[in-house]
Amino acid sequence: MFNFLIVSMLVLCMNIYSQTNISSGNVSGNWNLEGSPYLINGNITIPNTETLVIDPGVDVLFQGHYSLAVNGRLLAEGTLSDSIKFSITETVPTTTGWIGIKFVNTSSENDSSKISYSVLEYAINIDENNFFEGSAVRFDNFSKARVSHSNFRNNRTLAGGGIKCINTASPTIEHCFFLNNSGDSNNPGGGFAGGIAIMSNSAPIVRYNSFTQNGAYSAGAIGINEGGDAKIYNNHFYENGAIIGGALYLLEKELPVPTISGNIIENNESPYICGGLFMIIKDDITILVSNNTIVNNTATYGGGAYLSGDNIKLINNILYHNSGIGSQVCLNDIEYSTSSDFYNCIIEGGVDGFGYDNGGSFEGEFIDCLDIDPDFVDFVECDFHLSDTSPLIGAGVNQMSYNGINFYAFGKDIDGIDRPYPVLTNCDIGAYENTLAEPIVDIYENEVSKNSLMSFNYPDPFNPTTTICFDGRKSQDFLLTVYNLSGQIVFTSNYISSMSENETISFNGQSLTSGIYVYTIIGSNKEIISGKMTLLK
C-alpha cells in the first residue's frame, strides 16, 4: 500500500511538472493539458491542409522572438474557466517578446480558424525595418477566422498591438478585451493603433469588445487607414489615449467605408487632437456614424469628435461633456471641408460650441439636434444607459438615405436589446436602447407634490393654436419639445426662462396634420412632465 502511494505521488508530480519542448518547424495534431506548457524554441508553422488543436488550459510559451505561422488551420478554443495562454517564459519581457500568431496568405480552401477564451500577451516588435511583424494576431489577406472572448494585453508593435488586419483581411473579432496594448515606435510620430489596426482594404467585423488603456501616436484603440467596409459596432472604448485620436481614428480616401455604430466612447484623451472619434474622409465619400455615445473625452482640439469631410453624416449620436477647443465637435478644412452633417443628435452647446482647427465655419446641416441633458442613469459612475425619464427615448430616427447610401437603425444595442425597442417605435438616441417606447413621467392629477411640475393645454382639441400651462414655481429654464406618435420631433422651443408659478407657452400647429401629439417640458434641473394634445383641423 505504501509503495502504491509513493508511485501515485510520483506520477502526480510528473504530471504537474510535465512540459513539451517544440523545436522550429511544422506542427499539427493536438496539444493537450498533459503536455502543457508547450515551450516554443523556434519559428513554427501549421502546414497547409493541416490542423493544430490546442485544448483548454494549455500554456504556449515562446522562449524567444518566434512566431506561429498558420498556413493551415488553428483551433485554440479554451473555456470560461480554462483559458489558453500564448505568452513568453519571462514574467515581464526585458527587451522583446514573441512575434505573434500570423495568418499570411493562408489558403481560403482551409476550414475556418478559431481563437476563443485565450490570453495573448507580450507579443512585441518595434523594428522599423519589419513593420508587419509583432501583433499578437496578424491577418494578412485571410478572412476565415473568428477571435472571441479573448484577452489581448501588453502587446506592443508598430501597428496594431493586439490585432492587425491588412490586405483585404476580414475576420470576425468579438467579445474580446484589449488592455494596455500599444502601437509604438522608436521614431517620433510613429506607432499606429494600440488595439486593432485595419489597413489596405480590410473589412473585419469588430463588435462587443472592450478597449482600455491602449495607446499609440495615432489611434489609441482602433485605427483604420484606407480600410474597407469594416463594421465597428457595439464596442466600449474607455481610458485609451493617443496624440491623434484617443479612441478611434479613421482616414478614408476610397470606397467602401466603415460602419461606426452603437459604440460607447468615454473618458479617452489626447494631448493634441481628438480624445474620442477622429475622422478625415475624402469629400466625395459618404460615411454614416450612428447611435454612438461620446462623453467625457478630452483633447486640445475636439474632445469628442474631430471631423474633416463633406459627407460625414452623424445620426442619433450623443456628444456630451467632452472638453477641448470645440469640446464636443472640432471641424477641420485643411484637407477637406467642414460640411459634416448632424441629424437627431444631442450635442452639448449646439453649433455655437463647435470649434475650428485652421479657421473656417460650419457649413453642414444641423437638423432635429438638441442641446439638452441626456439624463443618464448615473453620469458620475459612468453608467450611460438612458434613465426612464430621458427625453432621448424614442427620439431617434430609424431610416435615412444619403447619396444612394441607406441608413437603418435596426439591430441590437451593446446590451443585446433590439433597436428599436419596442418594435414599430423610433429608436433611442445614443448607444443604449431603453425598453420603454417613451419617457415615464409621473403626473399627479389630484395631489401635487412641491417638487413636481404640472401642465395642461387649452383649448384641447385645438386648431391651430393652443396654450400650454405649466407650474414654474422652482425658478429655472424650460425646454418644450413636441412629438408625433411615431416619436419624431415636430417642434422644439428655445429655452424659456421662468420666474413664477404659472407659466404659459403658445404652440402653433399650422404646419401639422390632424392627430394626437405628445409634448414634454424639461426643466434645467432635470424635472420633466409630458402631456398629450389633439390637433383637429
Side-chain angles (χ1 to χ4, degrees):
M1 181 68 178
F2 179 74
N3 290 336
F4 173 76
L5 289 174
I6 292 177
V7 171
S8 299
M9 292 176 66
L10 288 173
V11 171
L12 179 61
C13 291
M14 290 174 63
N15 287 334
I16 291 174
Y17 295 101
S18 64
Q19 64 183 37
T20 304
N21 290 293
I22 304 294
S23 301
S24 62
N26 293 335
V27 294
S28 61
N30 178 227
W31 290 1
N32 55 39
L33 194 57
E34 293 177 355
S36 180
Y38 287 79
L39 306 181
I40 311 303
N41 296 289
N43 293 320
I44 55 176
T45 300
I46 304 172
N48 187 34
T49 74
E50 298 291 323
T51 299
L52 174 63
V53 177
I54 303 178
D55 287 349
V58 168
D59 288 346
V60 181
L61 304 179
F62 290 79
Q63 307 301 289
H65 203 50
Y66 307 129
S67 67
L68 166 58
V70 183
N71 294 339
R73 188 187 191 200
L74 173 64
L75 294 177
E77 298 180 276
T79 65
L80 182 61
S81 58
D82 287 305
S83 62
I84 297 167
K85 179 185 285 188
F86 294 90
S87 187
I88 57 177
T89 304
E90 298 175 272
T91 304
V92 177
T94 54
T95 54
T96 59
W98 60 303
I99 296 177
I101 301 171
K102 53 185 183 182
F103 297 80
V104 180
N105 293 312
T106 308
S107 173
S108 61
E109 299 298 318
N110 293 317
D111 290 333
S112 297
S113 288
K114 298 178 182 179
I115 301 172
S116 63
Y117 292 103
S118 296
V119 175
L120 301 99
E121 61 181 9
Y122 298 119
I124 297 175
N125 179 75
I126 54 171
D127 181 359
E128 303 288 343
N129 297 316
N130 202 349
F131 177 83
F132 294 110
E133 298 286 10
S135 300
V137 180
R138 169 160 63 106
F139 295 101
D140 187 337
N141 192 31
F142 182 70
S143 303
K144 291 178 65 176
R146 181 181 299 273
V147 182
S148 67
H149 300 92
S150 293
N151 188 331
F152 291 79
R153 63 193 186 198
N154 303 316
N155 301 290
R156 181 183 176 203
T157 187
L158 299 180
I163 295 177
K164 185 187 290 99
C165 298
I166 58 175
N167 298 323
T168 69
S170 304
T172 296
I173 305 162
E174 59 186 2
H175 300 288
C176 292
F177 183 60
F178 292 80
L179 170 67
N180 197 37
N181 303 283
S182 62
D184 205 352
S185 173
N186 290 322
N187 293 329
F192 179 69
I196 300 176
I198 301 169
M199 300 180 288
S200 54
N201 296 310
S202 295
I205 296 172
V206 182
R207 60 190 179 191
Y208 299 107
N209 303 287
S210 292
F211 299 81
T212 185
Q213 298 177 28
N214 303 284
Y217 182 88
S218 301
I222 294 181
I224 304 175
N225 190 343
E226 300 297 323
D229 56 343
K231 306 293 189 296
I232 313 297
Y233 63 90
N234 295 355
N235 301 285
H236 189 185
F237 302 88
Y238 59 103
E239 296 181 2
N240 302 283
I243 304 299
I244 302 174
L248 271 163
Y249 173 107
L250 287 84
L251 175 62
E252 293 292 342
K253 297 183 180 180
E254 296 180 0
L255 292 171
V257 294
T259 298
I260 310 295
S261 181
N263 301 287
I264 305 291
I265 304 173
E266 52 111 346
N267 286 291
N268 305 282
E269 64 179 352
S270 166
Y272 183 33
I273 296 177
C274 189
L277 175 63
F278 175 92
M279 301 179 70
I280 296 180
I281 308 296
K282 188 176 179 181
D283 285 348
D284 60 358
I285 295 174
T286 297
I287 182 169
L288 309 181
V289 180
S290 64
N291 285 97
N292 300 285
T293 296
I294 304 174
V295 294
N296 273 352
N297 303 284
T298 61
T300 300
Y301 295 94
Y306 185 96
L307 309 174
S308 177
D310 192 42
N311 291 302
I312 301 174
K313 313 294 182 180
L314 285 85
I315 310 165
N316 300 339
N317 298 282
I318 301 171
L319 289 113
Y320 185 76
H321 213 268
N322 303 287
S323 61
I325 297 174
S327 53
Q328 314 313 317
V329 178
C330 186
L331 301 173
N332 176 288
D333 62 357
I334 293 177
E335 259 192 278
Y336 305 116
S337 77
T338 56
S339 297
S340 304
D341 297 324
F342 300 82
Y343 305 88
N344 289 82
C345 292
I346 303 303
I347 302 180
E348 186 178 10
V351 172
D352 292 339
F354 284 6
Y356 302 92
D357 187 9
N358 195 45
S361 60
F362 178 58
E363 302 170 6
E365 294 186 328
F366 197 77
I367 298 176
D368 292 331
C369 297
L370 296 174
D371 173 15
I372 59 175
D373 189 330
D375 195 3
F376 296 122
V377 167
D378 194 330
F379 180 80
V380 174
E381 296 298 324
C382 298
D383 184 347
F384 303 116
H385 291 82
L386 301 180
S387 75
D388 289 348
T389 58
S390 171
L392 279 58
I393 297 172
V397 61
N398 291 340
Q399 182 176 344
M400 301 180 83
S401 296
Y402 304 98
N403 295 343
I405 297 177
N406 294 320
F407 160 72
Y408 301 97
F410 304 104
K412 294 183 182 295
D413 76 352
I414 199 169
D415 288 336
I417 297 174
D418 289 337
R419 179 183 287 127
Y421 194 95
V423 296
L424 303 180
T425 64
N426 273 25
C427 70
D428 301 347
I429 296 177
Y432 289 115
E433 187 76 9
N434 191 290
T435 57
L436 299 175
E438 59 184 30
I440 289 179
V441 179
D442 293 326
I443 301 176
Y444 302 93
E445 295 184 354
N446 298 320
E447 183 177 353
V448 179
S449 167
K450 291 183 179 180
N451 294 320
S452 67
L453 295 174
M454 299 300 296
S455 74
F456 64 93
N457 71 288
Y458 70 90
D460 192 44
F462 66 95
N463 179 27
T465 61
T466 188
T467 299
I468 300 172
C469 302
F470 63 97
D471 179 1
R473 73 181 73 186
K474 300 194 73 178
S475 296
Q476 56 183 318
D477 293 338
F478 296 90
L479 184 73
L480 169 68
T481 304
V482 180
Y483 305 82
N484 62 25
L485 289 184
S486 296
Q488 297 172 316
I489 297 175
V490 298
F491 174 81
T492 301
S493 72
N494 295 320
Y495 273 102
I496 303 156
S497 295
S498 173
M499 296 298 294
S500 64
E501 291 189 9
N502 300 312
E503 294 293 337
T504 61
I505 306 173
S506 179
F507 173 72
N508 191 321
Q510 181 66 49
S511 62
L512 303 177
T513 60
S514 296
I516 298 174
Y517 293 86
V518 176
Y519 65 85
T520 62
I521 299 172
I522 304 168
S524 55
N525 63 356
K526 293 187 179 181
E527 288 189 296
I528 182 173
I529 194 168
S530 68
K532 291 184 179 180
M533 54 188 180
T534 302
L535 174 60
L536 186 60
K537 292 187 175 180

